[in-house]
Amino acid sequence: MNFIEPFYYMTSSKKPNERKNTREAAWYKLEASDALENLDVKEEAGLSDKEVVERRELYGANTLPEAATDTLLAIFIRQFKSPLIYLLMAAAGTVLALGEYIDGGIIVFILLFNAIVGTIQSYKAQNTLLALKKFAETSATVKRNGEEVVIKDEELVPGDIIILKEGEKVPADARIISSHNLHAKESALTGESEAISKHSDRIDESDLPLGDRRNMVYRGTSIVAGNAVAIVTSTGSATEIGRISQKVEKIDMEIPLQANIRRLSHVIVGIVLVLASGIVAYGTIVGQEFEHMFTLGVSVIVSAVPEGLPIVITLVLATGVWRMSKRNVLVKQLQAVEALGEADVVAVDKTGTITKNELTVQEVFSHGTHYTVDGFGFEPKGDITREGVPLADPKNDPHLHRAALVGTLASTANISYDTEKEFWSISGDPTEAALTVLAQKASLSTRKELIQQHPLLDELPFESATKYHAMLHQMDSGEKMMVVVGAPEILLEKCDKHFEGDNAIELTEDAREKITGQINELSGNGYRVLAFAKHSLEKDSLSPDDISGLTFEGLYAMRDALRENVAESVATIEGAGVRMMMITGDHKITAQAIAKASGIYKDGDGIMEGVEIDNLSDSELAERVENVSVFARVSPDHKLRIIAAFKARGETIAMTGDGVNDALSLVSANLGVAMGKQGTEVAKEASDLVLMDDNISSIAAAIEEGRAIHQNIKKVTLFLFTTSLGEIFIIITALAVGLPVPITAAQIIWLNFVTDGFLDVALAMEPKEKNLLRRSFPKPSKWIVEGFMLQRMSIKAGTMVVGSLGMFVFALSHETLPYAITVAVTTMAAFQWTKIWTCRSDYDSVFQESMAANKYLLGAFTLVIILHVSALYTPFLSNLLGFEPIAAMYWLMIIPVALSVIVVDEIWKVARRHNEKR
């Protein structure tokens, strides 16, 4: 007996938690009888009720671990987890402790408003995702106490004997004991699009990938043909799908924008604390009162921290999320919508993403005539051409009619439209379903009607050993006709005639070679090829001996159908300078053909298989992936290494997928994108974005939206940081030259929260720029504030300092200190009114931008001027903020001084455009 490490049962001396985690590593290497003995169960009787209870206590329920959903309070608290927020909270607390209740109250209000907006969006995304889940109760047929009973699949335990039938989902990992024509669809787990034939024989090989373990079935897959009896080997978290779910929970990836904000926050906190501490220390040393200097230090903190940045970024992202929801994209995290705009590489899973995971007949050769069939997936619509000429009425073409009729008579699959999910579904084998669809495209009757017209007398089901499916029908002409569909190389050997037109003639060697050449060409182009043949019989039953002396009729060439508009979407994404590549568990030839048809693979590109990845070190793989556009025959572990290789090259990678086998890579990528309709719940949980309509074109839209968001964040950041930098320089310069500080803490808050608050929110609503999907779009820096922006900020802040302090000094020489402070603060406000218009573009002149293009900004511009004028001339506000009404003479000086920032910025833009052209 070849026992490896067995499942220890109740006699084991191990503790329960140790026994629970003991998992058989190679059930496929055991004989079926050994698996039964290893799990201490008889096939005829199954488990007793007592044994079931004991094993459930040991192994637990057959359920997958579910990620705990966050409460509204937990989501709200999470909004405050940022160094920038911590600093603002500390500043608010300090200001309140000093008795400045209005200043502190304003800061607290902004923090709460920011948290509320983020909470609403996160909670909404969480609930939307939960609504996607299908809580339909699934069941399993199992032998218990010697009888077959139907139970909930969560009640299964290791050792249960289950009965699997066509159309059912596999409820747990199991070793097949006996089977008949069993085929399982395992694409959700392995990525392979074709159904896998299964058997019960022992496999004496080590380290086989899941797709090659033909005597095993796995939870999350489905039976598409045949039936079987199997013994449950693993349940719950111990199943293959459960192990992947556990790995997903342990991976914590940070979206690029999150990392950028975190880095920026740390830098701001460090600089602000150093500046504030230095100012307090300096002032105390030169003889200033500590309390006064401490208040001034808090003012510097308030000046330096861009209080509006968190809320404006939240609003920019929320706006993007709203726009993406209109395009059927669910965004689970606010920051995720921006991440695709930063992507260098988009890695797409073939099955379910590029293709519909639905086999479609695309080429037909019948009686020597070639037909091309259009259409997508299992939808029974599509034009048919004969030798390149469209057929106006396909049912009147005799040779096409013959091919469609044979395909339908040899099929046991049916198709139907799922009104709830809004797509065509099948019952039975996907290959046979493709033949059923072909018949409807050829305008034949439904399969049910055709079977009624031509009753089935007998059949020989498809077996992996024979590789054909034969059915005997009573034709309306009185003929008893056997139709056979199967592997071309098998059927061709059993044929001695073939059709040329309507005539059956001898199948010569030359004719065989010609047909073989067609088969090889189609296979090389990634098609799955089936042959069909006929033979008349004089009896009502079939035997394997009857499969001889056949007349070869033609070929069906099918493959997993591309999704609509895939090629156009790929072209758009690559036209945006984002590299596309395909990762699949399918064979190299199939993968290459699909990638070429979708536009991902081009002549000269590399193709790499999982075996090659195994033979490369991490550094070697990072070098090799540079020109590879197709990765074939890869496992989930290979996907992780591929993603790590691109990250090692410093590239931002997004990954799409729909299956359980995609979950780890969805989490590990910088951005995970799952399919909403056909995606598994594990994939949706692991992703950052969910395409609700499974349309890859939404990725191009998300890239465009991400870039628009990135641009708007840069514009807002430029505006806010220029203000903060200008205020800091004004305070430091005034201290350095011995001047009174020309702005109070309350006035800083007025500028930052009122003047800046309305303007930056309006700037965040700036319309999308044109040509965002151009190849030359600048790659976002890992720092939100990058070199050019810092240079531009410094120039504009310097202009602010010179203008504001100049006006302060002039007013101080003629007026009182409060009056001079009012003039200085008003000058700062006017600088903000004018520089907001310079922040709308990095390149274009302010005079080329239409002010009416952003009505929000035009309205906010008017509003802040009215508010500031009201603060100067309304007694309540002027007393609250310490302002004095200023004379018209000062307004005539302030306005041209404030306009100087436009002149300076225009000179900078001209210089930059000149340098880039050069």
Side-chain angles (χ1 to χ4, degrees):
M1 189 180 300
N2 184 17
F3 291 127
I4 309 179
E5 185 178 342
F7 256 111
Y8 288 97
Y9 190 45
M10 302 307 293
T11 56
S12 170
S13 61
K14 290 191 175 186
K15 295 178 182 180
N17 62 333
E18 290 176 330
R19 293 198 303 269
K20 184 176 178 179
N21 291 324
T22 302
R23 190 179 64 88
E24 176 55 69
W27 288 101
Y28 64 89
K29 297 182 72 172
L30 297 179
E31 294 286 357
S33 57
D34 290 343
L36 288 163
E37 185 174 346
N38 206 5
L39 284 162
D40 196 16
V41 65
K42 302 295 184 184
E43 179 184 351
E44 300 77 17
L47 297 174
S48 67
D49 291 339
K50 179 183 177 182
E51 288 173 320
V52 169
V53 171
E54 291 173 339
R55 297 192 185 200
R56 187 171 297 122
E57 289 178 358
L58 182 63
Y59 301 112
N62 181 32
T63 57
L64 297 178
E66 291 189 5
T69 56
D70 292 327
T71 64
L72 200 60
L73 178 61
I75 296 173
F76 179 75
I77 292 173
R78 192 167 63 231
Q79 308 305 311
F80 295 93
K81 293 181 179 180
S82 163
L84 202 59
I85 300 298
Y86 299 153
L87 189 60
L88 286 174
M89 291 170 67
T94 305
V95 170
L96 289 170
L98 292 173
E100 302 291 341
Y101 301 114
I102 295 176
D103 299 351
I106 293 174
I107 299 174
V108 171
F109 171 77
I110 293 296
L111 291 173
L112 288 174
F113 185 69
N114 175 56
I116 289 169
V117 172
T119 300
I120 291 172
Q121 177 57 36
S122 297
Y123 191 69
K124 181 180 177 183
Q126 175 179 280
N127 287 345
T128 304
L129 188 68
L130 289 174
L132 286 173
K133 293 186 175 181
K134 303 299 180 184
F135 291 105
E137 207 172 74
T138 56
S139 60
T141 304
V142 60
K143 285 186 180 179
R144 294 269 178 90
N145 304 303
E147 297 181 354
E148 286 189 15
V149 293
V150 178
I151 62 172
K152 296 179 182 178
D153 61 6
E154 65 183 39
E155 297 176 8
L156 287 172
V157 295
D160 261 326
I161 305 299
I162 57 175
I163 291 86
L164 302 171
K165 300 175 183 177
E166 181 180 303
E168 295 181 343
K169 285 189 175 181
V170 178
D173 291 3
R175 169 68 165 86
I176 298 169
I177 299 172
S178 60
S179 66
H180 175 70
N181 190 33
L182 188 69
H183 285 72
K185 188 176 183 181
E186 299 181 336
S187 58
L189 196 60
T190 66
E192 295 210 32
S193 57
E194 295 182 7
I196 306 298
S197 63
K198 297 288 185 175
H199 58 75
S200 60
D201 299 336
R202 173 176 176 269
I203 303 174
D204 192 16
E205 294 183 43
S206 298
D207 301 323
L208 278 181
L210 293 181
D212 293 334
R213 299 178 189 178
R214 297 299 179 95
N215 56 14
M216 297 288 297
V217 287
Y218 296 99
R219 176 173 181 157
T221 64
S222 57
I223 305 301
V224 297
N227 55 72
V229 176
I231 180 171
V232 173
T233 57
S234 302
T235 57
S237 298
T239 60
E240 292 296 333
I241 190 175
R243 291 199 303 144
I244 292 174
S245 296
Q246 288 179 314
K247 288 182 180 180
V248 166
E249 290 180 353
K250 296 176 182 177
I251 300 175
D252 184 19
M253 280 304 302
E254 193 172 43
I255 292 171
L257 183 60
Q258 290 176 317
N260 294 346
I261 293 174
R262 175 179 51 78
R263 282 191 292 264
L264 181 62
S265 299
H266 288 153
V267 171
I268 292 173
V269 169
I271 292 175
V272 166
L273 292 178
V274 169
L275 279 174
S277 302
I279 288 172
V280 173
Y282 173 77
T284 305
I285 291 172
V286 297
Q288 298 284 337
E289 292 183 8
F290 176 78
E291 184 177 343
H292 170 69
M293 295 310 301
F294 185 80
T295 304
L296 189 60
V298 172
S299 299
V300 171
I301 291 176
V302 175
S303 298
V305 175
E307 295 90 348
L309 185 60
I311 186 171
V312 176
I313 287 180
T314 300
L315 289 175
V316 172
L317 294 172
T319 301
V321 168
W322 178 80
R323 283 199 292 255
M324 290 312 301
S325 69
K326 299 298 181 183
R327 305 176 83 161
N328 292 313
V329 178
L330 168 66
V331 181
K332 292 172 60 182
Q333 298 187 63
L334 283 178
Q335 293 90 343
V337 74
E338 187 268 349
L340 262 180
E342 297 192 32
D344 299 296
V345 179
V346 175
V348 292
D349 178 60
K350 180 187 79 69
T351 306
T353 304
I354 291 295
T355 65
K356 300 185 72 173
N357 199 12
E358 299 173 1
L359 282 174
T360 304
V361 176
Q362 296 182 349
E363 307 279 342
V364 176
F365 292 86
S366 178
H367 291 224
T369 305
H370 175 219
Y371 300 88
T372 302
V373 186
D374 292 335
F376 295 92
F378 293 133
E379 183 178 11
K381 294 180 181 178
D383 296 329
I384 302 177
T385 61
R386 170 178 173 165
E387 305 292 354
V389 179
L391 291 176
D393 192 355
K395 67 181 178 182
N396 291 330
D397 187 292
H399 300 157
L400 176 65
H401 183 278
R402 179 67 183 176
L405 176 63
V406 170
T408 306
L409 295 179
S411 170
T412 58
N414 291 300
I415 62 170
S416 60
Y417 186 71
D418 189 322
T419 55
E420 181 182 348
K421 296 182 179 179
E422 297 184 348
F423 67 82
W424 289 86
S425 60
I426 67 165
S427 61
D429 183 78
T431 303
E432 295 185 359
L435 298 178
T436 301
V437 172
L438 171 65
Q440 294 200 26
K441 288 179 180 178
S443 302
L444 266 68
S445 303
T446 64
R447 178 178 173 275
K448 182 179 180 181
E449 292 171 336
L450 289 173
I451 296 299
Q452 288 176 346
Q453 295 172 23
H454 313 293
L456 176 66
L457 301 177
D458 197 10
E459 74 169 311
L460 296 175
F462 181 90
E463 295 284 354
S464 57
T466 59
K467 295 186 179 181
Y468 60 76
H469 184 189
M471 303 180 82
L472 183 63
H473 288 269
Q474 177 71 58
M475 308 304 289
D476 50 14
S477 62
E479 177 189 14
K480 295 175 182 177
M481 185 179 70
M482 176 180 66
V483 294
V484 188
V485 175
E489 65 277 11
I490 300 296
L491 259 61
L492 206 54
E493 291 179 359
K494 299 181 180 296
C495 292
D496 54 23
K497 292 181 180 179
H498 76 111
F499 274 100
E500 276 194 6
D502 296 324
N503 302 315
I505 62 175
E506 181 186 356
L507 182 61
T508 63
E509 286 303 315
D510 288 343
R512 286 180 188 274
E513 290 181 7
K514 183 178 179 181
I515 294 171
T516 301
Q518 286 180 325
I519 294 168
N520 293 337
E521 183 179 353
L522 290 168
S523 299
N525 289 327
Y527 286 103
R528 182 181 182 187
V529 185
L530 295 179
F532 60 100
K534 61 162 282 189
H535 190 45
S536 295
L537 296 178
E538 298 297 330
K539 56 181 184 176
D540 294 338
S541 61
L542 288 177
S543 71
D545 294 336
D546 295 320
I547 313 300
S548 62
L550 305 178
T551 302
F552 183 87
E553 293 202 76
L555 302 168
Y556 305 110
M558 60 184 70
R559 61 182 169 196
D560 197 356
L562 288 179
R563 290 191 176 276
E564 295 182 72
N565 303 320
V566 161
E568 293 86 344
S569 299
V570 169
T572 301
I573 293 170
E574 292 199 331
V578 180
R579 180 178 164 196
M580 292 283 289
M581 67 178 191
M582 190 174 78
I583 304 178
T584 179
D586 269 343
H587 291 277
K588 181 177 180 179
I589 292 176
T590 303
Q592 181 180 1
I594 295 295
K596 191 170 185 178
S598 63
I600 293 175
Y601 176 84
K602 301 171 187 64
D603 292 339
D605 286 357
I607 301 176
M608 185 177 289
E609 294 185 281
V611 175
E612 297 176 66
I613 295 174
D614 290 332
N615 295 326
L616 296 173
S617 66
D618 291 342
S619 59
E620 289 172 334
L621 181 60
E623 291 180 11
R624 288 281 303 279
V625 298
E626 182 176 6
N627 71 331
V628 176
S629 61
V630 177
F631 293 89
R633 299 298 285 167
V634 297
S635 66
D637 288 339
H638 291 142
K639 291 183 181 181
L640 292 179
R641 288 197 63 198
I642 292 167
I643 289 171
F646 279 100
K647 287 183 176 179
R649 297 172 58 85
E651 298 185 72
T652 300
I653 181 169
M655 172 74 188
T656 76
D658 67 340
V660 175
N661 63 308
D662 300 319
L664 290 177
S665 51
L666 288 172
V667 176
S668 298
N670 296 110
L671 186 75
V673 183
M675 302 296 113
K677 280 187 176 180
Q678 298 193 48
T680 60
E681 299 310 319
V682 174
K684 293 173 192 173
E685 288 284 358
S687 65
D688 303 299
L689 300 179
V690 180
L691 305 184
M692 305 294 286
D693 57 358
D694 289 7
N695 195 335
I696 193 174
S697 65
S698 298
I699 294 177
I703 291 174
E704 182 181 32
E705 192 62 51
R707 289 182 174 183
I709 288 171
H710 176 77
Q711 291 291 76
N712 282 355
I713 288 175
K714 281 182 63 179
K715 293 170 186 177
V716 170
T717 303
L718 171 66
F719 176 71
L720 289 175
F721 273 69
T722 302
T723 299
S724 297
L725 204 59
E727 290 169 353
I728 292 171
F729 285 168
I730 287 171
I731 293 173
I732 292 175
T733 304
L735 280 174
V737 299
L739 287 172
V741 176
I743 188 169
T744 67
Q747 291 163 353
I748 289 171
I749 292 172
W750 173 260
L751 290 181
N752 289 3
F753 289 142
V754 179
T755 305
D756 280 2
F758 288 106
L759 292 175
D760 58 27
V761 168
L763 185 60
M765 307 300 288
E766 188 73 10
K768 285 189 291 189
E769 295 183 15
K770 297 178 181 179
N771 301 319
L772 287 174
L773 291 178
R774 66 185 187 275
R775 184 173 295 277
S776 59
F777 185 87
K779 172 168 170 46
S781 166
K782 71 175 183 177
W783 297 100
I784 294 178
V785 180
E786 37 81 25
F788 277 117
M789 186 188 294
L790 189 60
Q791 183 187 103
R792 194 175 174 198
M793 282 167 37
S794 301
I795 293 172
K796 291 206 271 192
T799 306
M800 250 183 93
V801 172
V802 172
S804 299
L805 283 181
M807 289 300 299
F808 177 65
V809 171
F810 177 81
L812 193 59
S813 65
H814 295 84
E815 314 288 349
T816 64
L817 178 59
Y819 196 103
I821 288 176
T822 303
V823 170
V825 173
T826 302
T827 306
M828 292 183 206
F831 269 118
Q832 286 161 242
W833 305 339
T834 54
K835 70 182 172 67
I836 188 71
W837 300 102
T838 69
C839 296
R840 297 177 69 196
S841 175
D842 287 340
Y843 300 92
D844 296 332
S845 168
V846 68
F847 303 108
Q848 294 177 304
E849 301 283 338
S850 169
M851 295 181 71
N854 187 343
K855 295 178 181 179
Y856 300 101
L857 185 56
L858 193 59
F861 173 75
T862 305
L863 178 62
V864 296
I865 292 175
I866 293 172
L867 287 174
H868 191 78
V869 171
S870 299
L872 294 183
Y873 300 104
T874 304
F876 172 74
L877 286 176
S878 60
N879 291 333
L880 185 68
L881 296 169
F883 286 149
E884 302 244 349
I886 59 175
M889 178 191 74
Y890 284 101
W891 280 109
L892 293 174
M893 297 173 64
I894 288 170
I895 291 173
V897 168
L899 289 172
S900 65
V901 74
I902 294 180
V903 176
V904 170
D905 193 64
E906 286 296 302
I907 294 171
W908 183 88
K909 287 180 180 177
V910 169
R912 184 175 182 185
R913 288 196 297 266
H914 175 72
N915 286 336
E916 290 196 354
K917 287 180 180 178
R918 187 175 62 180

